[in-house]
Amino acid sequence: MAPVLLLWLAVCLSGTWAVDRGNFKTCDQSAFCKRQRALKPGESPYRALLETMELTNTRLTLQLINDNNKVRLLLELYRLQGNITRVKINELKPLKPRYEVPDVLIREPPTEPLSLLSQDENGVVLSLGAESQRVIVSARPFRLDIMEGREVLMSLNSRGLLAFEHLRMPSISSCKSLLSLFASQAAKEEEEKVEDVMWEETFKSHSDSKPNGPSAVSLDFSLPGVEHVYGIPEHADTLRLKTTDNGDPYRLYNLDVFQYELYNPMALYGAVPVMLAHNAQRTTGIFWLNAAETWVDISSNTTVFGKMLDYVQGSSETPQTDVRWISESGIIDVFIMLGPTPNDVFSQYASLTGTQSFPPLASLGYHQCRWNYNDQEDVQSVDAGFDEHDIPYDFIWLDIEHTDGKRYFTWDPHKFATPKEMLQGLMDKKRKMVAIVDPHIKVDSNYKIHNEIRSRGFYIKNKDGGDYEGWCWPGSAGYPDFTRADMRAWWASMFAYDQYEGSMENLYTWNDMNEPSVFNGPEVTMHKDAMHGAWEHRDVHNLYGFYVQMATAEGLIQRSGGVERPFVLTRAFFAGSQRFGAVWTGDNAAEWDHLKISIPMCLSLGLVGISFCGADVGGFFKSPSTELLVRWYQTGAYQPFFRAHAHLDTPRREPWLFGPENTALIREAVRQRYTFMPYWYQQFYLAHRTGQPVMRPLWVEYPQDPATFALDDEFLIGRDLLVHPVTEEGARGVTAYLPGKDEVWFDIHTFQKHNGAQNLYIPVTMSSIPVFQRGGSIIPRKMRVRRSSSCMEHDPYTLYVALNPQRTAEGELYIDDGHTFNYEKKEFIHRRLSFANNVLSSVNLAPDAQFTTGSWIERIVILGASKPSKVTLKAADGQESQIEFEFDASMSVLTLRKPGMNSGADWTVTLQ
């Protein structure tokens, strides 16, 4: 192994667990970011040439000119279906085509008619149709304002920070042309520095050639009335994004960051260039479709409208948030989602990039992982340990050491000599396995995968035309060009059972290191001047992991003939990655703050479409205290992706290794997860159908309550479960905010009832997981927990009906086979459960669907109930029967025992 790799591994495996910030650029070290940030507001050189305007039924086009260098741009404006406005800006006549992101949008977005309302020498006004919405295009300087009535919803280039660096041939005159763009705004002594990095940039020992010079694009957005913005993951930061005036902007550039720091804007493994803005009146979104390195500046200010009366009654202040996006290359292609509600924005974004894939039910269970389970005997021993200690799980995972010398799609011939025998042993218990398949390919002439990729010319090229090689786990590695459809098709074919030797239908896939990670590359990633066909890596960088997961998911689908749903976990991601599987928050640490940050990190991902998110339970690096480990299990049990994982160098931490008391606490947390599996599955079905997040901030459901806007230590699962995990060391109590002045909330453990719109102090012990069910909801659970979710398929349901006197209680029950795409053929049960006027009923929501289930309703628990004199069940055939019941007057809890109706049938239960 080369010295570079050995040195890198030595750092990784040593006790020094900390990010080396010097490996990663600041804005000042990123030439285009520094250059763009030097621009001063209010000095825009761009004006609209109104005489060039063309308006068709579907779009407006208009030329812009930079008065400093006379370069012309083409503006395209579209009104899209669903209250979305699209703005594209490109060079009118580029030296060569500039990169436009493919494959992320699920289709070309359908348009709606634009109409001209007025025009004069200063600009034009266009109608956006409903709600008196219109766009005002101002000519000098160029500016766009989107309005509704008299209210400005959003302004573009209102601060004059639009910039578009045009492609050019190297020449002295062109350098001066670019410098003229900044001449009125940057100090003269900076000009020579700017010129130095136009054509080549150096970071540490790495140089980055730029054959067509600088190519950055930038645009500012102003959001009047907005104080809270969210999104643009992935960052280890609070849910509410901070202002960046006194530091670096938030960076979006997929990187392998070794044990990342918290509460800063450094780039991490994934990048979703989507921001949501919210106030009590409206939610909007900005989707900046650009896959190059991107920085996002956020600033806030308050406009004071001073009137004499204000000094008596209090001044009238309008907050405003200003956002600026800066990307290294490509074009400006931005979708403005105008809401007005949070769910409207989720639907709008889903209409563009798709919804969360519908995962196999088993993948919502518990996953046991570490780097690495040593051999087949180790796997068998761990599997048996779960049975011995009565802890359910669905998946056991294998990291890179299971392969033959880090050659993916292979097995170590000594440690994993009979993988099918191992997989069959798991299948016999209705369990599954995930094995890692990374996208760096060992350069080895005896390795079939490498030989195939090289012979087909599928590797990414270096700037000189040879195959790009870098260092990763196998040593010298090539990197397949996943931007190519033919490469992705070939990769998918490698998951066929006759190609991936030793694989079976219960083996699924984990894509790690797909930023891509290059140990000896600049910022531990690929050189930007590497080539993907005609495009530089700088253009496509943030798409690489998206494409790897896409191809892998397609492979798992194809191997079953299109029948089985895939499960693929990815570390790197982009907008649209939700269509292909799950993500996790990467290489975290066994520290309390890392437990806390998992909540806002997953909430941020959910807001931008990626619901299937989790963090390594226990922390990847370091060793957790038993208290931290237990609290992490309790938190992870209520997050969408629930996996324990640990570094090679850490002591083993299977759940039963910390004494009987802690084993019992962990067992209880995991078993709670399994009782809620029907609810989790139903929430993922809704996310798949609607784009709404599964794990969501409180403000999504209580958008007019400012007390919820910055909360990120508690969250909702769907509408009806509120979770406030214990994330403080030594905690004896937590304070949870229960939202909604007309709401009531029931503690799911004690059935204690609490009113909404209050901060509730909750005493806690080590067994406490504060979770509340919303009054007015019905949640189906399965209380007979078995060794895996598949073992529970036909088990009965318990319905938890939480009453609120002010409204009908409602819920849903969704059932299908749990693993195929047959739900797309209407093979499922989807029922509405409701309780009103002392009648509980189950009604078919999908009468055209066909599916049968052996499961039944074995218990109904009604919280906040009164004692009835009798309870009558009326079945689908009209037969009536009496149901036994118990009533706890001290807690107002009514329990109906053994009603016995089939889960897929029509029925009513009447309390008299």
Side-chain angles (χ1 to χ4, degrees):
M1 218 179 261
V4 171
L5 184 58
L6 286 173
L7 178 61
W8 200 93
L9 287 171
V11 172
C12 279
L13 301 178
S14 74
T16 309
W17 313 102
V19 66
D20 181 356
R21 297 192 68 160
N23 281 334
F24 304 102
K25 290 182 180 180
T26 63
C27 179
D28 272 353
Q29 293 169 314
S30 183
F32 79 94
C33 183
K34 181 179 182 180
R35 200 163 57 239
Q36 294 298 329
R37 239 186 170 194
L39 295 177
K40 299 294 187 293
E43 300 180 14
S44 177
Y46 291 96
R47 62 184 169 93
L49 301 174
L50 296 179
E51 66 276 13
T52 67
M53 185 182 78
E54 295 181 14
L55 180 63
T56 68
N57 196 39
T58 59
R59 71 171 183 167
L60 171 137
T61 61
L62 185 65
Q63 290 180 30
L64 310 178
I65 190 167
N66 180 330
D67 280 329
N68 287 346
N69 59 21
K70 308 308 179 188
V71 172
R72 292 195 179 197
L73 307 177
L74 179 66
L75 167 77
E76 300 173 71
L77 190 146
Y78 302 83
R79 175 187 167 206
L80 304 182
Q81 284 182 12
N83 207 18
I84 307 170
T85 299
R86 184 180 192 179
V87 177
K88 292 179 74 173
I89 303 176
N90 198 351
E91 292 185 52
L92 179 64
K93 295 181 178 178
L95 185 66
K96 62 180 183 181
R98 297 180 68 118
Y99 190 71
E100 299 188 38
V101 175
D103 301 317
V104 168
L105 301 179
I106 55 174
R107 59 176 176 169
E108 189 61 30
T111 60
E112 293 188 342
L114 280 167
S115 58
L116 183 66
L117 295 179
S118 64
Q119 177 178 3
D120 61 21
E121 68 277 7
N122 297 314
V124 297
V125 181
L126 302 162
S127 170
L128 287 177
E131 302 291 336
S132 66
Q133 286 182 356
R134 59 199 186 281
V135 179
I136 300 172
V137 183
S138 302
R140 186 191 293 266
F142 164 70
R143 169 176 170 152
L144 279 178
D145 291 283
I146 299 175
M147 301 191 67
E148 184 172 287
R150 298 177 63 184
E151 180 186 1
V152 178
L153 303 182
M154 192 178 303
S155 300
L156 284 65
N157 202 38
S158 58
R159 301 174 68 215
L161 295 173
L162 166 65
F164 209 103
E165 296 177 342
H166 61 283
L167 303 179
R168 70 212 76 202
M169 298 295 292
S171 71
I172 294 174
S173 61
S174 65
C175 292
K176 289 180 178 177
S177 173
L178 178 70
L179 286 170
S180 69
L181 177 62
F182 308 105
S184 62
Q185 301 169 42
K188 294 294 183 183
E189 60 266 23
E190 289 293 312
E191 291 187 1
E192 288 185 12
K193 296 179 185 177
V194 172
E195 189 167 352
D196 286 343
V197 295
M198 285 178 183
W199 307 96
E200 186 167 29
E201 185 176 347
T202 300
F203 178 66
K204 302 183 84 168
S205 61
H206 302 283
S207 67
D208 171 23
S209 62
K210 302 175 187 178
N212 294 116
S215 56
V217 298
S218 172
L219 184 60
D220 65 277
F221 300 76
S222 293
L223 304 164
V226 169
E227 292 181 276
H228 294 81
V229 290
Y230 312 90
I232 57 170
E234 182 177 36
H235 300 97
D237 208 347
T238 53
L239 174 65
R240 179 194 181 185
L241 298 170
K242 301 183 176 86
T243 59
T244 59
D245 296 329
N246 298 317
D248 264 7
Y250 284 97
R251 191 183 188 200
L252 295 171
Y253 189 59
N254 295 357
L255 292 172
D256 181 358
V257 181
F258 179 82
Q259 200 205 322
Y260 48 85
E261 292 182 6
L262 307 185
Y263 304 108
N264 72 51
M266 285 178 67
L268 289 178
Y269 311 96
V272 184
V274 176
M275 180 181 289
L276 276 67
H278 178 73
N279 61 26
Q281 288 74 46
R282 179 181 288 268
T283 308
T284 58
I286 299 170
F287 173 26
W288 176 269
L289 183 52
N290 189 299
E293 179 186 347
T294 298
W295 300 78
V296 185
D297 252 328
I298 301 170
S299 59
S300 63
N301 60 72
T302 301
T303 306
V304 181
F305 299 98
K307 297 179 182 175
M308 209 43 134
L309 192 60
D310 292 336
Y311 293 104
V312 180
Q313 298 180 343
S315 64
S316 173
E317 296 185 349
T318 300
Q320 176 168 301
T321 296
D322 297 316
V323 179
R324 186 183 182 202
W325 301 74
I326 306 168
S327 292
E328 186 177 15
S329 64
I331 68 166
I332 293 172
D333 189 1
V334 62
F335 298 82
I336 299 163
M337 300 170 286
L338 294 173
T341 70
N343 283 338
D344 288 331
V345 175
F346 301 142
S347 297
Q348 288 155 2
Y349 181 62
S351 75
L352 299 171
T353 68
T355 60
Q356 175 67 55
S357 62
F358 190 26
L361 176 77
S363 66
L364 301 179
Y366 173 62
H367 300 251
Q368 181 67 33
C369 184
R370 77 171 278 112
W371 176 23
N372 204 89
Y373 287 117
N374 299 323
D375 49 33
Q376 288 181 212
E377 291 71 26
D378 198 6
V379 169
Q380 190 174 7
S381 173
V382 172
D383 175 70
F386 278 89
D387 293 336
E388 180 184 345
H389 296 91
D390 196 24
I391 302 172
Y393 88 96
D394 270 272
F395 284 82
I396 189 166
W397 291 52
L398 295 179
D399 210 317
I400 54 177
E401 310 302 330
H402 84 277
T403 62
D404 181 7
K406 313 299 188 299
R407 298 169 181 87
Y408 304 107
F409 299 99
T410 70
W411 305 85
D412 184 296
H414 306 294
K415 297 178 179 179
F416 294 91
T418 55
K420 284 192 174 181
E421 182 180 306
M422 173 180 63
L423 288 165
Q424 186 62 52
L426 294 170
M427 188 179 290
D428 291 343
K429 294 184 175 182
K430 296 192 174 183
R431 287 172 173 155
K432 299 166 176 63
M433 174 172 275
V434 172
I436 200 164
V437 178
D438 286 349
H440 49 260
I441 303 301
K442 184 179 178 68
V443 175
D444 175 3
S445 59
N446 294 315
Y447 179 25
K448 179 186 78 169
I449 298 291
H450 164 70
N451 290 337
E452 286 259 0
I453 295 173
R454 175 161 282 181
S455 67
R456 294 168 184 261
F458 283 162
Y459 278 128
I460 296 168
K461 308 301 180 187
N462 59 38
K463 65 179 180 180
D464 300 317
D467 287 348
Y468 180 92
E469 290 186 14
W471 288 93
C472 209
W473 297 124
S476 186
Y479 291 78
D481 187 354
F482 284 90
T483 67
R484 294 178 55 164
D486 53 356
M487 165 59 213
R488 296 196 299 273
W490 176 85
W491 180 266
S493 74
M494 290 298 99
F495 289 90
Y497 298 124
D498 61 351
Q499 294 291 331
Y500 189 170
E501 293 183 18
S503 66
M504 289 174 55
E505 56 267 34
N506 64 332
L507 180 68
Y508 296 82
T509 307
W510 172 17
N511 294 147
D512 197 3
M513 316 298 287
N514 54 340
E515 293 76 26
S517 179
V518 183
F519 292 164
N520 61 335
E523 302 192 88
V524 201
T525 193
M526 187 167 287
H527 292 75
K528 288 181 175 178
D529 53 9
M531 299 300 295
H532 300 254
W535 303 109
E536 287 187 293
H537 186 72
R538 85 179 72 252
D539 299 314
V540 307
H541 175 85
N542 286 345
L543 280 174
Y544 192 78
F546 165 92
Y547 278 129
V548 174
Q549 191 186 21
M550 174 196 281
T552 301
E554 184 58 33
L556 296 192
I557 294 169
Q558 286 181 11
R559 73 178 187 180
S560 70
V563 172
E564 297 289 331
R565 288 177 243 166
F567 172 75
V568 182
L569 179 73
T570 183
R571 190 168 71 176
F573 50 84
F574 189 66
S577 287
Q578 66 269 14
R579 306 199 299 265
F580 311 121
V583 306
W584 92 106
T585 61
D587 296 344
N588 60 0
E591 297 173 358
W592 287 93
D593 279 349
H594 276 263
L595 169 59
K596 293 172 193 171
I597 208 75
S598 70
I599 299 172
M601 288 182 77
C602 281
L603 287 173
S604 296
L605 281 159
L607 289 175
V608 299
I610 300 177
S611 273
F612 207 176
C613 168
D616 286 344
V617 169
F620 180 66
F621 292 116
K622 304 185 181 179
S623 297
S625 67
T626 52
E627 182 190 2
L628 175 57
L629 183 65
V630 168
R631 291 302 192 197
W632 214 316
Y633 268 98
Q634 293 170 342
T635 303
Y638 287 92
Q639 292 178 340
F641 177 54
F642 183 24
R643 182 186 75 152
H645 187 36
H647 189 278
L648 181 75
D649 209 33
T650 62
R652 294 290 284 254
R653 60 167 93 134
E654 283 72 45
W656 51 86
L657 296 178
F658 301 88
E661 187 176 326
N662 291 303
T663 300
L665 292 169
I666 293 170
R667 177 191 301 116
E668 174 57 24
V670 177
R671 289 173 68 88
Q672 282 186 37
R673 170 58 165 236
Y674 277 79
T675 69
F676 278 107
M677 287 287 272
Y679 185 70
W680 280 108
Y681 196 52
Q682 171 196 317
Q683 294 307 311
F684 269 91
Y685 179 72
L686 293 174
H688 178 59
R689 290 298 190 205
T690 67
Q692 293 178 27
V694 172
M695 176 181 172
R696 58 187 72 160
L698 272 62
W699 64 260
V700 167
E701 294 299 329
Y702 301 91
Q704 295 179 314
D705 183 355
T708 67
F709 292 177
L711 281 180
D712 61 8
D713 59 354
E714 60 183 90
F715 54 91
L716 293 166
I717 303 166
R719 286 189 312 165
D720 298 333
L721 275 185
L722 186 152
V723 186
H724 191 303
V726 182
T727 59
E728 293 283 348
E729 185 175 12
R732 297 191 176 185
V734 298
T735 299
Y737 180 69
L738 302 181
K741 60 180 171 52
D742 297 323
E743 299 282 22
V744 292
W745 296 89
F746 293 88
D747 185 311
I748 68 162
H749 309 293
T750 66
F751 302 147
Q752 182 82 35
K753 178 181 173 182
H754 304 280
N755 291 325
Q758 67 158 318
N759 287 299
L760 178 69
Y761 180 78
I762 307 156
V764 298
T765 66
M766 277 306 299
S767 64
S768 303
I769 315 176
V771 182
F772 300 87
Q773 181 175 345
R774 187 178 62 85
S777 69
I778 303 174
I779 291 181
R781 297 173 68 180
K782 287 193 173 186
M783 307 309 287
R784 301 186 187 184
V785 176
R786 303 186 191 274
R787 65 160 60 109
S788 72
S789 62
S790 297
C791 293
M792 299 165 61
E793 179 180 1
H794 302 296
D795 283 350
Y797 291 87
T798 296
L799 303 182
Y800 284 82
V801 183
L803 300 184
N804 181 334
Q806 300 193 41
R807 65 170 67 98
T808 298
E810 292 186 325
E812 294 180 12
L813 177 60
Y814 177 84
I815 307 171
D816 63 16
D817 64 24
H819 59 94
T820 75
F821 286 104
N822 290 348
Y823 71 91
E824 294 179 344
K825 303 174 186 176
K826 297 286 186 180
E827 294 183 19
F828 60 82
I829 292 166
H830 193 192
R831 305 199 65 82
R832 179 181 304 285
L833 307 169
S834 60
F835 184 96
N837 301 317
N838 284 327
V839 177
L840 175 65
S841 62
S842 174
V843 177
N844 196 350
L845 277 174
D848 57 339
Q850 298 292 325
F851 190 73
T852 57
T853 178
S855 65
W856 69 100
I857 309 299
E858 73 168 344
R859 189 182 295 111
I860 299 170
V861 181
I862 304 177
L863 312 180
S866 301
K867 184 178 181 179
S869 58
K870 66 176 181 176
V871 179
T872 305
L873 166 66
K874 185 175 182 179
D877 60 4
Q879 292 288 317
E880 293 191 359
S881 58
Q882 302 299 305
I883 300 177
E884 297 178 13
F885 65 88
E886 294 175 2
F887 183 70
D888 180 344
S890 66
M891 298 303 295
S892 299
V893 175
L894 176 66
T895 302
L896 312 183
R897 299 200 174 278
K898 300 181 180 179
M901 52 282 202
N902 184 276
S903 302
D906 290 342
W907 50 263
T908 59
V909 170
T910 303
L911 310 185
Q912 295 172 310

